[in-house]
């Protein structure tokens, strides 16, 4: 009985873990590697296992760094069930198809250049049709239901509060007389965030796989975050510029629309012409509204009053590329919410090209920016960026609203771990090395936890897990 760390090990993206138990092979997540071009080319490497011998996949949530290689897995011969929360299934139907479509467009673009050079042509990573084919293997689970998915292997999903349908995965394994329980945090949500409920607590585990995206920092309070966002919008209005909001199509976009509706009068949101320039975000927003039963109490009440808490009187949906291009004729007063959230693709790049050199423009960064992405370069203070071969000066004001993150901060991660009755060993995943190492020190110091930070391809024999330590009160300060 063992677990192999195949992705998001000493890095943030590419979540993928292979469990061997009782002669069965279970994959938890199968995500894309995101970041620089050198990082993303790794997605084309063969899987380090035989996909035809994987018995089942358990998917924590729909973000592509957790789900984005599933079509490749099916393309390579996997034919087993993919278990996930039903809202995640609905979001994956949108996101994987969109990824397949973009893969085809990127390959066409690259091949036009290669043809002119006489270079070999490339194939899409996977196509729209291959993404659609993968969806037939999805099987839905509801939160809180324990189900045997293979002989001796049971799974239960808990609400992770990160995006709609995001799950903490509890996995029980039985091999002969050996029993082990693994808990995968998935991506844990930020307590108090709008729309969704807080992450659920789990009490027992033999091994916890804990994300560490923000293991080295604390978010600003929600009160300070809303004040900061209101101040940025006020400054942009006074300077009569446009506001660009690179936003993840799933999660961040819906939170922003919801909070703009809640603060519509206070922040004078009506002064802006707001464009949601992302067909995928438009579809995802409809999925959110359809699964309103997963909302927190406040958002549930908002839904019952309005039937769609994401609608605004000044919100315009931009479906087509023609509509998107028309936005770029606007010099002032536009708020443009577009993907991708890390600025490494999608329509936001076109809006940056037309606005980032303007001194009165503003860019609001609302989420994590992986190393190697254009968004990370802007956060790190780049004075020039390159788009489609053109070097463009950065004159717009760049605002990083860190408190909007959909990930738990260090205090949130520690508090979630503190709910375990005993102190099970922890394997830190899904984080940059510096953040991971700082969180590891806190877990060791505050909880006397055994903490591992597995390198890629590390195999851990689950028969040899260290015993759980008795629980003791956590340190008061985080």
């Amino acid at each position: 009985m063992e677990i192999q760390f195949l992705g998001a090990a000493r890095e943030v993206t590419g979540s993928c873990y292979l469990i061997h138990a009782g002669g069965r092979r279970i994959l938890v997540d199968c995500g894309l590697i995101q970041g620089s071009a050198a990082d993303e080319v790794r997605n084309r490497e063969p899987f380090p296992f035989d996909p035809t011998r994987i018995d089942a996949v358990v998917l924590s949530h729909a973000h592509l760094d957790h789900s984005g290689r599933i079509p490749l897995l099916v393309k390579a011969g996997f034919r087993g069930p993919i278990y996930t929360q039903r809202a995640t299934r609905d979001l994956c139907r949108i996101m994987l198809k969109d990824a397949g479509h973009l893969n085809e467009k990127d390959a066409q673009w690259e091949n036009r250049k290669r043809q002119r050079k006489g270079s070999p042509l490339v194939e899409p990573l996977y196509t729209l049709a291959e993404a659609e084919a993968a969806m037939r293997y999805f099987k839905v689970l509801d939160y809180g239901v324990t189900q045997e998915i293979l002989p001796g292997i049971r799974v239960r999903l808990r609400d992770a509060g990160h995006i709609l349908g995001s799950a903490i995965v509890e996995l029980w394994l039985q091999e002969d007389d050996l029993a082990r329980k693994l808990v995968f945090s998935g991506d844990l949500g930020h307590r108090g965030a709008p729309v969704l409920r807080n992450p659920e607590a789990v009490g027992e585990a033999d091994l916890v796989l804990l994300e560490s995206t923000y293991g080295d920092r604390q978010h600003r309070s929600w009160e300070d975050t809303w004040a900061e966002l209101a101040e940025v919008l006020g400054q942009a209005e006074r300077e009569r510029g446009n506001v660009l909001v690179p936003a993840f199509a799933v999660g961040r976009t819906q939170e922003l629309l919801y909070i703009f509706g809640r603060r519509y009068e206070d922040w004078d949101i009506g002064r802006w012409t707001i464009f949601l320039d992302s067909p995928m975000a438009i579809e995802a927003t409809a999925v959110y509204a359809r699964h309103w039963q997963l909302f927190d109490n406040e958002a549930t009440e908002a839904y019952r009053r309005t039937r769609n808490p994401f609608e605004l009187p000044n919100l315009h949906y931009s479906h087509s590329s023609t509509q998107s291009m028309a936005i770029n004729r606007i010099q002032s007063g536009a708020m443009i919410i577009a993907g991708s959230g890390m600025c490494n693709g999608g329509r936001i790049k076109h809006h940056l090209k037309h606005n980032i050199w303007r001194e009165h423009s503003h860019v609001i960064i609302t989420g994590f920016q992986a190393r190697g992405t254009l968004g990370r370069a802007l956060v790190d203070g780049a004075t020039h960026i390159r788009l489609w071969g053109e070097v463009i000066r950065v004159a717009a004001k760049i605002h990083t609203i860190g408190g909007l993150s959909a990930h738990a901060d260090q205090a949130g991660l520690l508090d979630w771990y503190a709910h375990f009755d005993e102190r099970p060993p922890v394997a830190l995943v899904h984080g940059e090395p510096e953040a991971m190492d700082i969180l590891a020190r806190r877990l060791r110091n505050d909880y006397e936890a055994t903490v591992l930070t597995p390198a890629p391809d590390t195999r851990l024999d689950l028969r040899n897990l260290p015993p759980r330590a008795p629980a003791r009160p956590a340190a008061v300060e985080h």
Side-chain angles (χ1 to χ4, degrees):
M1 187 185 290
E2 71 172 21
I3 181 171
Q4 188 174 0
F5 297 82
L6 299 176
R10 304 294 288 175
E11 62 182 333
V12 174
T13 64
S15 182
C16 189
Y17 314 98
L18 177 60
I19 298 102
H20 298 257
R24 306 288 182 168
R25 294 171 176 82
I26 308 99
L27 209 60
V28 176
D29 287 350
C30 190
L32 281 174
I33 300 163
Q34 298 173 314
S36 67
D39 291 326
E40 294 186 359
V41 76
R42 292 158 54 200
N43 291 311
R44 293 185 175 272
E45 297 174 358
F47 288 105
F49 51 82
D50 182 353
T52 66
R53 299 186 65 194
I54 299 298
D55 295 291
V57 175
V58 180
L59 175 61
S60 66
H61 66 286
H63 276 154
L64 290 179
D65 63 320
H66 294 257
S67 71
R69 294 186 83 192
I70 285 176
L72 281 176
L73 192 71
V74 174
K75 184 178 179 179
F78 170 75
R79 294 295 181 269
I82 302 165
Y83 293 98
T84 196
Q85 211 279 339
R86 64 180 63 245
T88 296
R89 185 268 317 270
D90 292 350
L91 290 172
C92 279
R93 183 174 287 117
I94 297 168
M95 298 181 73
L96 295 180
K97 288 169 61 177
D98 181 76
H101 172 67
L102 292 177
N103 290 339
E104 293 182 46
K105 287 181 62 177
D106 289 346
Q108 290 170 0
W109 178 265
E110 177 66 20
N111 284 337
R112 281 198 292 268
K113 294 189 293 183
R114 286 172 172 259
Q115 283 177 321
R116 290 192 291 268
K117 296 177 181 178
S119 301
L121 302 185
V122 298
E123 294 290 330
L125 185 63
Y126 55 83
T127 65
L128 170 59
E130 288 164 340
E132 290 177 327
M135 293 306 305
R136 70 172 65 111
Y137 298 100
F138 277 65
K139 294 185 179 297
V140 298
L141 296 173
D142 291 318
Y143 290 135
V145 176
T146 303
Q147 181 166 328
E148 185 174 62
I149 60 172
L150 292 165
I153 298 172
R154 293 178 295 140
V155 67
R156 180 168 62 193
L157 305 182
R158 301 283 194 98
D159 194 341
H162 172 62
I163 63 170
L164 191 77
S166 59
I168 298 158
V169 176
E170 295 178 280
L171 196 64
W172 289 267
L173 309 173
Q174 184 76 39
E175 184 175 275
D176 300 325
D177 60 349
L178 178 67
R180 289 286 184 262
K181 181 185 178 185
L182 309 186
V183 175
F184 298 78
S185 73
D187 287 358
L188 291 177
H190 182 181
R191 288 185 64 85
V195 182
L196 299 181
R197 299 189 285 254
N198 291 332
E200 288 189 68
V202 181
E204 294 181 347
D206 294 299
L207 176 68
V208 176
L209 275 73
L210 177 61
E211 69 123 318
S212 54
T213 314
Y214 287 114
D216 60 342
R217 71 194 77 174
Q218 315 296 347
H219 298 322
R220 299 187 72 176
S221 70
W222 283 111
E223 293 77 9
D224 289 346
T225 296
W226 302 137
E228 183 182 10
L229 185 55
E231 182 180 343
V232 170
L233 294 178
Q235 180 184 358
E237 194 276 336
R238 290 190 297 273
E239 295 182 359
R240 304 186 64 79
N242 290 331
V243 173
L244 309 186
V245 187
F248 300 106
V250 177
R252 188 55 34 76
T253 292
Q254 291 75 36
E255 288 178 351
L256 288 169
L257 294 177
Y258 176 82
I259 204 65
F260 289 157
R262 299 291 292 173
R263 306 294 178 103
Y264 195 84
E265 301 296 336
D266 294 344
W267 294 356
D268 196 12
I269 295 296
R271 64 192 167 184
W272 298 98
T273 303
I274 302 176
F275 296 94
L276 181 51
D277 189 19
S278 167
M280 183 167 67
I282 294 168
E283 288 188 75
T285 302
V287 172
Y288 261 67
R290 197 159 65 241
H291 288 277
W292 61 271
Q293 298 93 339
L294 302 179
F295 294 174
D296 64 15
N297 291 337
E298 182 186 81
T300 297
E301 288 304 311
Y303 173 85
R304 287 174 173 154
R305 287 195 307 270
T306 67
R307 290 298 168 186
N308 192 340
F310 311 109
E311 278 291 346
L312 301 168
N314 53 337
L315 175 63
H316 302 268
Y317 292 138
S318 177
H319 294 275
S320 69
S321 56
T322 300
Q323 290 172 316
S324 178
M325 288 187 287
I327 298 171
N328 288 319
R329 294 196 289 269
I330 301 173
Q331 302 291 310
S332 174
M335 183 190 301
I336 306 162
I337 304 171
S340 68
M342 297 187 194
C343 307
N344 56 338
R347 294 181 178 181
I348 193 64
K349 293 176 68 176
H350 295 275
H351 298 304
L352 289 170
K353 179 179 179 180
H354 286 84
N355 287 274
I356 203 162
W357 49 272
R358 302 178 187 274
E359 293 182 355
H360 297 313
S361 293
H362 294 254
V363 180
I364 301 178
I365 302 293
T366 63
F368 182 81
Q369 306 296 306
R371 287 177 177 171
T373 62
L374 176 56
R376 181 63 168 262
L378 292 175
V379 169
D380 289 345
T383 58
H384 293 80
I385 60 174
R386 181 180 292 272
L387 294 171
W388 300 288
E390 180 180 352
V391 176
I392 302 174
R393 179 174 65 100
V394 178
K397 297 175 180 65
I398 311 299
H399 308 273
T400 302
I401 313 293
L404 279 174
S405 174
H407 286 267
D409 61 5
Q410 185 190 80
L413 296 170
L414 293 171
D415 287 342
W416 184 78
Y417 178 78
H419 284 88
F420 285 94
D421 296 333
E422 297 175 340
R423 298 301 182 230
V426 184
L428 293 182
V429 295
H430 201 288
E432 292 178 347
E434 298 88 344
M436 192 175 288
D437 293 342
I438 289 171
L439 181 61
R441 286 197 293 272
R442 289 300 308 270
L443 286 164
R444 293 180 184 120
N445 292 339
D446 294 3
Y447 300 100
E448 297 182 355
T450 299
V451 185
L452 313 171
T453 57
D457 298 325
T458 295
R459 294 173 182 263
L460 179 61
D461 190 334
L462 299 176
R463 295 170 299 183
N464 300 327
L465 288 175
R468 306 181 200 176
R472 68 179 181 86
V476 174
E477 294 185 3
H478 290 314

